[in-house]
Amino acid sequence: MELKERYEEDLFLVRGALAWTALLTLCAGLFLLPYVARNYVLFTLSLVAVNAVIAVGLNLLVGYTGQISLGHAGFVAIGAYTAGLVMAKLPWPEAAAAWGLSWLAALAAAGLVAAIFGFLVGLPALRLTGPYLTIATLGFGIAVHQVLTNWDRLSGGRTGLFLPKLFFGPWRLEERPLYYVTILVAGLLIWVASNLVRSHVGRAFVAIRDSDIAAAVTGVNLTAYKTLAFAVSAAYAGIGGAMLAFILRYLEPQLFTLFESIYYLSMIVIGGLGTVPGSVLGAAVLTVLPQQLAGLKEWLPIVYGAAIMFMMAVEPRGLYGRWVKIRLWFKTWPF
Amino acid sequence: MGTSVLLNIEGLSIAFGGVVALSNVDLDVSSGALISIIGPNGAGKTTLFNCICGLYHADSGMIRFSGASLAGLKPDAIARRGIARTFQNIELFLRMTVLENLLLGRHLHFRAGFAAASLGAPHWRREEIRHREVAEQILDFLDLQAVRDRRVGDLSLGRQRMVELGRALATEPALLLLDEPSSGMTAEEKEDLVFRIRDIRDEMNATIILVEHDLKLVMGISDWIAVLDHGVKIAQGSPEQIQMHPDVIKAYLGEPTEGGADARTRGTAT
Ligand SMILES: Nc1ncnc2c1ncn2[C@@H]1O[C@H](COP(=O)(O)OP(=O)(O)OP(=O)(O)O)[C@@H](O)[C@H]1O
Ligand SMILES: [Mg+2]
């Protein structure tokens, strides 16, 4: 019986009083923040939430399943434009839009459409491995950008695509309410990803990364799990893209270039490959940092490139891995 | 019970370019048997395992398991039917813990789906706990509790082989294929291994096919032995018959020797 309880405890996502205190403090802080912080801070945190969702999804694919994607901005773009088109081009009745049905539908559609594209891009992953797969995803990202640039009727061409205002009953979703929506959606998706990675599904992902032969002979269906990883990862990117569209209310193809794909990849490398908290941490750092370094805009690609190389060399497990080590050190400290 | 044929292989052939790895191999293994396949390096032993578990597709011939053909099935589908294996070169999930590796062995028994897992649904939770109990039992059985939460990549070769055996057992196989399980093990670990293999057969009712270079181990443990040489099955019989078999001696020593040399003399070659 004692053992049984231990297994049960092993399954808890948050363990121990300290962890719970930290989590609840964080939640309370995020909830109360809008009452003290300026809109600029809320805007930044909303962007952190968006990037955290995208990074967590990307990490499921790259860090957990071991399939490197250099075209993730393509999925983000598909989500953003799906959301934008659903809101701007579908004939929503006034009441439906006022009650937030239009953006809720847009959010769901963005996840779904991106997931379908993720599944399709995942199919070649069954045959391609390593650098070949990476090049295929790179091609996908470039193709999406090209299609958006050249297909004016879809993307609005040079003028871009404007989204109508978002409502939710009495609230107009700007600054404060929008901040709550993005934080809530991000929290939910981070929770789902955390469930996923400690389940048999997450173990199958990691198994494929570590040895796909062994995974197959122990009963993991490679076809199903590789395409699943792509679909889930793309769904996260799509939902992130939709939220980005909500925040910016304006879309242009230049928001989704190869540079953005590398930007997302930097987040998970710097935060920690194969960890959910690491993805969030990396997203936060790489959202806030460029804002602080606004004067160095042209240098950012070099900064990211250098940061990736530095991390790979010094701490392959990322900032989160370093934090875990420090925590362990304090736990065992005077001994 | 015990006499029905579990694995039936007929006329199995496979070639890689010009190299004939298996040539017209027949093999019948009845359920509950513990048999060995031996042969010099490059004889085709590993290739035979790869064909059985679906990693290779034979050029011709037939593999039936519990009466049904395995032709065209993917490795995971074959695993689901009850065939598990270990690898000569150890294929573990190196960055996972020992427990997690064993839990992978439970993967094919999970009924809960993606949605239940991603929401942490109660029925997923119950199932997860049940599978963890099985994994812990196997940890106990293989004496791995001490390294339960260690990363597999940090363990010794002998321990890694035990973890791989544990992962295979966790699938609850009807047929267990062991590819040189004792290589890289200390004498003590080997002794231990022999015990475990017998236990697996007797207590878990698994049928076992062993590929092994340590002939002393093979002779002591096997019901019967098949010998492969250059992809051809050159002999089959009891350990005594195999030790006396002139073709076997020739295959191992290269040329016939007077006085019936013992195949053991080449036993530890790898
Ligand atoms: N994937 C492959 N591609 C090309 N040749 C292969 C392949 N797999 C096996 N072979 C060849 O088939 C022959 C049999 O190899 P196999 O690995 O089955 O031998 P083995 O009996 O397991 O030998 P060992 O005792 O060294 O493990 C060898 O000549 C090998 O080179
Ligand atoms: Mg071999």
Side-chain angles (χ1 to χ4, degrees):
Chain A
M1 272 303 101
E2 237 172 68
L3 272 181
K4 185 126 191 180
E5 270 158 33
R6 188 171 99 195
Y7 305 152
E8 187 99 49
E9 236 168 72
D10 278 350
L11 300 189
F12 293 151
L13 289 178
V14 183
R15 259 170 277 171
L18 203 66
W20 271 109
T21 316
L23 184 68
L24 291 177
T25 312
L26 181 71
C27 289
L30 287 173
F31 179 75
L32 294 175
L33 196 70
Y35 297 95
V36 293
R38 282 174 303 154
N39 281 342
Y40 169 74
V41 175
L42 298 187
F43 172 77
T44 305
L45 277 178
S46 300
L47 278 186
V48 169
V50 166
N51 286 335
V53 168
I54 298 168
V56 167
L58 183 61
N59 219 338
L60 288 177
L61 184 67
V62 178
Y64 284 91
T65 319
Q67 323 268 314
I68 295 173
S69 167
L70 256 184
H72 231 58
F75 296 122
V76 180
I78 287 171
Y81 276 93
T82 303
L85 292 171
V86 164
M87 284 195 64
K89 297 288 155 78
L90 289 189
W92 290 98
E94 195 112 350
W99 279 101
L101 285 187
S102 60
W103 64 265
L104 281 170
L107 201 59
L112 198 67
V113 173
I116 292 169
F117 274 93
F119 171 78
L120 293 176
V121 174
L123 289 178
L126 303 173
R127 301 221 160 265
L128 304 177
T129 50
Y132 301 102
L133 176 62
T134 308
I135 290 168
T137 59
L138 176 70
F140 166 76
I142 293 172
V144 170
H145 179 249
Q146 284 301 316
V147 168
L148 289 174
T149 311
N150 295 319
W151 194 355
D152 288 1
R153 288 194 50 199
L154 188 77
S155 66
R158 267 173 212 291
T159 41
L161 179 69
F162 288 90
L163 275 78
K165 290 197 168 71
L166 283 71
F167 291 95
F168 191 59
W171 298 291
R172 205 162 86 191
L173 289 197
E174 303 182 310
E175 284 110 18
R176 197 190 287 183
L178 189 56
Y179 159 84
Y180 281 126
V181 168
T182 53
I183 295 283
L184 214 65
V185 171
L188 197 71
L189 290 179
I190 291 168
W191 174 73
V192 165
S194 307
N195 277 327
L196 207 56
V197 297
R198 58 96 201 251
S199 75
H200 63 292
V201 178
R203 283 195 297 264
F205 285 164
V206 179
I208 291 172
R209 179 194 72 190
D210 279 5
S211 166
D212 55 352
I213 292 184
V217 302
T218 40
V220 176
N221 183 333
L222 295 184
T223 311
Y225 276 90
K226 279 187 180 177
T227 48
L228 179 69
F230 263 98
V232 174
S233 182
Y236 271 66
I239 291 173
M243 293 201 295
L244 185 66
F246 296 164
I247 294 172
L248 303 177
R249 298 243 323 277
Y250 169 74
L251 296 174
E252 56 174 344
Q254 274 321 97
L255 292 166
F256 312 101
T257 63
L258 171 62
F259 174 68
E260 271 70 31
S261 291
I262 294 173
Y263 177 50
Y264 299 131
L265 212 52
S266 319
M267 290 178 192
I268 62 172
V269 172
I270 288 170
L273 287 172
T275 71
V276 172
S279 322
V280 179
L281 192 63
V285 170
L286 282 200
T287 310
V288 175
L289 199 67
Q291 290 189 344
Q292 303 306 317
L293 298 178
L296 297 174
K297 212 167 166 68
E298 306 78 39
W299 296 94
L300 280 180
I302 295 175
V303 173
Y304 294 160
I308 289 183
M309 286 195 280
F310 179 77
M311 268 301 171
M312 286 293 192
V314 176
E315 184 54 89
R317 312 188 84 178
L319 289 176
Y320 184 71
R322 175 57 35 143
W323 156 247
V324 170
K325 272 186 204 161
I326 294 172
R327 208 176 47 185
L328 206 66
W329 187 78
F330 272 110
K331 254 188 199 162
T332 52
W333 189 53
F335 307 103
Chain B
M1 201 218 119
T3 47
S4 66
V5 174
L6 182 68
L7 181 74
N8 161 241
I9 297 176
E10 270 170 39
L12 200 71
S13 301
I14 184 170
F16 300 97
V19 181
V20 178
L22 290 174
S23 163
N24 212 11
V25 171
D26 297 328
L27 198 72
D28 275 341
V29 183
S30 54
S31 90
L34 197 179
I35 70 140
S36 293
I37 296 172
I38 62 171
N41 292 125
K45 306 177 296 289
T46 300
T47 304
L48 180 63
F49 276 9
N50 286 342
C51 289
I52 296 173
C53 72
L55 290 174
Y56 291 170
H57 294 288
D59 299 335
S60 62
M62 178 71 139
I63 304 176
R64 277 192 216 87
F65 180 68
S66 301
S69 167
L70 298 182
L73 291 182
K74 292 223 184 108
D76 59 287
I78 290 175
R80 262 162 229 283
R81 298 210 172 180
I83 300 180
R85 73 173 285 182
T86 65
F87 292 85
Q88 184 172 355
N89 302 318
I90 308 188
E91 288 282 350
L92 281 167
F93 309 119
L94 288 178
R95 283 175 285 184
M96 291 189 196
T97 66
V98 171
L99 177 67
E100 285 166 340
N101 268 272
L102 263 57
L103 282 172
L104 241 297
R106 299 303 297 167
H107 181 84
L108 49 80
H109 292 288
F110 270 89
R111 292 290 156 268
F114 169 74
S118 54
L119 299 177
H123 71 278
W124 167 80
R125 196 172 284 268
R126 276 194 300 277
E127 221 187 347
E128 174 81 14
I129 289 172
R130 223 176 51 235
H131 292 310
R132 276 172 186 258
E133 283 166 1
V134 177
E136 300 280 350
Q137 281 165 12
I138 292 171
L139 286 178
D140 289 336
F141 173 68
L142 295 179
D143 224 351
L144 288 170
Q145 276 295 355
V147 291
R148 177 183 187 268
D149 297 314
R150 291 268 298 278
R151 260 166 47 112
V152 162
D154 302 335
L155 301 179
S156 73
L157 209 64
R159 271 283 167 75
Q160 290 191 358
R161 289 211 182 273
M162 276 302 183
V163 176
E164 214 192 11
L165 176 60
R167 186 183 63 195
L169 287 180
T171 66
E172 292 179 40
L175 176 65
L176 180 60
L177 311 174
L178 303 176
D179 199 347
E180 306 202 11
S182 85
S183 88
M185 283 188 169
T186 63
E188 205 177 326
E189 285 172 329
K190 277 190 192 183
E191 229 167 82
D192 198 46
L193 177 74
V194 171
F195 264 133
R196 310 274 181 219
I197 293 177
R198 287 215 177 91
D199 273 357
I200 291 164
R201 194 257 297 261
D202 298 339
E203 286 171 26
M204 302 189 176
N205 295 317
T207 304
I208 299 171
I209 305 181
L210 185 65
V211 162
E212 187 50 70
H213 271 299
D214 184 334
L215 293 189
K216 185 160 160 275
L217 193 158
V218 167
M219 296 299 163
I221 205 174
S222 317
D223 295 345
W224 53 268
I225 297 167
V227 186
L228 285 178
D229 186 26
H230 290 100
V232 179
K233 190 172 91 175
I234 57 168
Q236 177 172 329
S238 69
E240 296 74 29
Q241 288 167 332
I242 293 299
Q243 286 182 54
M244 296 302 165
H245 200 293
D247 288 349
V248 176
I249 295 163
K250 196 164 91 186
Y252 268 86
L253 296 183
E255 58 198 57
T257 46
E258 65 280 18
D262 193 338
R264 273 177 217 191
T265 46
R266 284 282 300 267
T268 46
T270 22

